[in-house]
Amino acid sequence: MTTTTTETAVRISGLRRTFGDRNVLDGLELDIARGEFVALLGASGSGKTTLLRILGALDAADDGEVLVPRARTIVFQEPRLVPSKKVLANVAVALPRGAATRTRARAALAEVGLERHVDAWPGTLSGGEAQRVALARALVREPELLLLDEPFAALDALTRLRMQDLVGELCRVHRPAVLLVTHDVDEAVRLADRVCVLRDGRLVTDETVAVDHPRDPGDPAFAALRRRLLADLGVHPTAQEIPE
């Protein structure tokens, strides 16, 4: 796995990953530009998380070329905070110790609205607060590639919308390349510059989201894209969820 050019954050060509006799990723092709937000949809078992893990160096491809920046980080569905460390220490975990790191960690917490929680223990946080700490921990590393593995799935509906808004704003400010893995079509259309659909190990859809911000699900263009994506996922247009 090597680094990319100044214009491209991710370049995937002919990517294959096999488990047993099944090609979970089968010759997949995908480029993500620096500063671009891409959402990846697909049914469970379609290979979305496998792709994300390969990009995050948590798994290895069996074949093909994968080019990514060195500075990359992952936010998972669970915050994965260290219970024995306070919030500030969780944000700065594995970074060099010192005043400069603490200052950066405090600034990251301020960006996610948790500057008053630096001395809190993870066990005292709500689900949304814990996920904001995880996001601050990712951003403090100034990644060129931010990988989001269904980071809002465990949150209640209102907190989820607020977190989507926060992530969208932070990504516009910091401008990493972003790959969001999600089951939620509305979430993908609301946040992404491009939406891709993964099926049978390949991308069957790769579409630019031509809907103005702030994106309203009642906008005809939003609704039309949502229907197309659901159809590409094999879901009846009136369905509300992607099947597990």
Side-chain angles (χ1 to χ4, degrees):
M1 187 179 290
T2 56
T3 56
T4 54
T5 68
T6 56
E7 297 82 14
T8 304
V10 174
R11 176 159 294 159
I12 301 168
S13 179
L15 174 60
R16 284 185 169 80
R17 183 69 173 100
T18 301
F19 294 99
D21 59 356
R22 179 173 172 243
N23 290 325
V24 175
L25 300 173
D26 188 12
L28 188 140
E29 309 276 338
L30 175 66
D31 285 359
I32 303 175
R34 295 185 183 272
E36 185 176 31
F37 196 127
V38 175
L40 182 63
L41 294 165
S44 291
S46 62
K48 302 185 306 300
T49 295
T50 298
L51 172 59
L52 184 141
R53 288 176 58 83
I54 290 172
L55 295 180
L58 300 177
D59 196 1
D62 292 312
D63 196 11
E65 184 178 51
V66 179
L67 303 174
V68 293
R70 288 188 178 90
R72 59 194 187 275
T73 189
I74 305 176
V75 177
F76 296 96
Q77 182 174 333
E78 308 84 16
R80 301 193 179 189
L81 304 183
V82 182
S84 60
K85 292 182 181 290
K86 292 184 178 181
V87 163
L88 186 66
N90 262 284
V91 173
V93 70
L95 292 177
R97 294 184 178 182
T101 293
R102 290 195 297 274
T103 298
R104 285 170 53 197
R106 286 178 181 273
L109 282 168
E111 281 197 279
V112 301
L114 291 178
E115 59 269 32
R116 297 182 180 179
H117 290 68
V118 292
D119 292 321
W121 294 100
T124 68
L125 303 176
S126 68
E129 288 169 342
Q131 199 63 311
R132 280 191 277 162
V133 175
L135 182 59
R137 183 178 56 196
L139 291 175
V140 79
R141 287 155 172 77
E142 300 178 351
E144 296 174 80
L145 173 62
L146 177 62
L147 302 165
L148 303 172
D149 189 9
E150 300 192 66
F152 317 124
L155 304 177
D156 65 82
L158 183 57
T159 303
R160 184 178 185 130
L161 288 172
R162 289 172 175 165
M163 282 295 295
Q164 288 172 4
D165 288 341
L166 177 62
V167 166
E169 178 59 29
L170 290 172
C171 289
R172 282 189 286 273
V173 171
H174 289 271
R175 301 296 296 164
V178 181
L179 180 65
L180 166 68
V181 165
T182 180
H183 281 90
D184 189 324
V185 174
D186 283 8
E187 180 172 281
V189 178
R190 193 165 187 254
L191 289 174
D193 301 312
R194 287 164 54 207
V195 179
C196 300
V197 175
L198 182 62
R199 190 172 69 222
D200 298 328
R202 296 173 180 264
L203 297 183
V204 297
T205 304
D206 186 344
E207 184 164 349
T208 299
V209 182
V211 183
D212 293 335
H213 287 284
R215 292 174 178 164
D216 181 355
D219 184 320
F222 188 114
L225 177 55
R226 183 180 188 276
R227 285 193 298 271
R228 291 199 300 275
L229 293 170
L230 285 169
D232 290 340
L233 288 158
V235 179
H236 191 277
T238 60
Q240 298 299 310
E241 299 289 340
I242 299 173
E244 292 292 333

